[in-house]
Amino acid sequence: EAGVAQSPRYKIIEKRQSVAFWCNPISGHATLYWYQQILGQGPKLLIQFQNNGVVDDSQLPKDRFSAERLKGVDSTLKIQPAKLEDSAVYLCASQMDSYNEQFFGPGTRLTVL
Amino acid sequence: TQLLEQSPQFLSIQEGENLTVYCNSSSVFSSLQWYRQEPGEGPVLLVTVVTGGEVKKLKRLTFQFGDARKDSSLHITAAQPGDTGLYLCAGARDSNYQLIWGAGTKLIIKP
């Protein structure tokens, strides 16, 4: 079974530039999460999708971050414009149903200069 | 706000030693999960504990869920260099499938 795919793996941009991350979850997993993980910290939830609907985006900085999950499969997370404090690893995870484990992709390491 | 506090934040020990990592909260969770994360990778689930007082063993790793379902511990016996990594605990809430994450314990096992 293929795992969660993310791209790119690494991205370096300058502040005020835009960036987009892509996630392809495990086939059949209805729930998809985007997390931000700053070095030395645990993952922080940014947004949760159930199929193509948003369940929770309360911690998503909506003035600069946006996310979508078209057709309930792939998802993209965008930052526009980026700030220095956005430097982090962005993790995508998918889950089959409520009490199953979350499967994580390898993450995208973003460096904002 | 429900928080999970992990301790210690960092632990460096010699191969063969035993260690315990703690995960504490003032809130009750329906279940608690332990993940291990290696550099450049996403977290990978090690175990889920559901029942208060539950003990699960995974080779040299022993996981325990507190009786009140507010805390958990991970004990590693005879640590090996392959155990090196970031250990994260995450508590589950019934309401929306989300996990509340601890900050992690960075473990280094020296040969």
Side-chain angles (χ1 to χ4, degrees):
Chain A
E1 176 181 82
V4 176
Q6 288 189 247
S7 67
R9 291 295 309 272
Y10 306 92
K11 190 73 177 179
I12 300 174
I13 61 173
E14 298 197 346
K15 60 183 179 183
R16 291 187 289 273
Q17 286 188 322
S18 302
V19 65
F21 312 128
W22 173 82
C23 173
N24 180 235
I26 293 173
S27 177
H29 283 196
T31 307
L32 185 148
Y33 305 85
W34 282 102
Y35 290 95
Q36 180 192 60
Q37 187 177 26
I38 293 174
L39 187 64
Q41 298 182 18
K44 171 192 168 185
L45 179 67
L46 293 175
I47 189 167
Q48 176 188 357
F49 292 96
Q50 183 78 9
N51 295 309
N52 61 349
V54 175
V55 174
D56 185 354
D57 63 357
S58 59
Q59 297 189 81
L60 188 73
K62 298 181 187 63
D63 58 333
R64 298 184 300 107
F65 286 64
S66 64
E68 60 182 6
R69 190 182 183 195
L70 298 176
K71 301 180 182 178
V73 182
D74 292 8
S75 178
T76 56
L77 176 69
K78 297 179 181 178
I79 307 175
Q80 180 180 14
K83 293 186 175 181
L84 296 176
E85 58 262 35
D86 298 332
S87 294
V89 175
Y90 290 84
L91 294 166
C92 176
S94 71
Q95 184 179 44
M96 181 177 293
D97 57 35
S98 57
Y99 296 106
N100 280 9
E101 70 179 281
Q102 294 186 20
F103 290 85
F104 284 82
T108 297
R109 180 175 295 277
L110 174 67
T111 301
V112 182
L113 303 176
Chain B
T1 303
Q2 295 172 309
L3 294 175
L4 271 172
E5 295 186 359
Q6 285 190 242
S7 61
Q9 289 183 305
F10 179 79
L11 187 59
S12 178
I13 61 172
Q14 292 293 138
E15 179 178 2
E17 293 183 6
N18 302 332
L19 66 108
T20 302
V21 174
Y22 300 92
C23 178
N24 296 299
S25 175
S26 58
S27 301
V28 175
F29 292 99
S30 59
S31 66
L32 196 134
Q33 298 179 348
W34 283 93
Y35 288 77
R36 178 166 165 258
Q37 185 177 20
E38 297 192 43
E41 300 296 331
V44 175
L45 180 69
L46 295 173
V47 77
T48 300
V49 284
V50 180
T51 306
E54 181 177 4
V55 177
K56 281 192 174 179
K57 291 191 175 184
L58 186 66
K59 296 184 180 179
R60 294 176 293 99
L61 278 60
T62 301
F63 304 85
Q64 185 164 6
F65 202 11
D67 292 339
R69 291 186 290 131
K70 294 182 179 181
D71 55 83
S72 181
S73 63
L74 157 61
H75 182 79
I76 301 179
T77 303
Q80 303 294 314
D83 297 327
T84 292
L86 179 68
Y87 288 82
L88 294 157
C89 66
R93 301 187 288 189
D94 276 329
S95 57
N96 57 10
Y97 318 157
Q98 290 180 10
L99 293 175
I100 306 298
W101 292 84
T105 294
K106 185 172 183 179
L107 177 63
I108 295 176
I109 310 299
K110 296 176 284 186

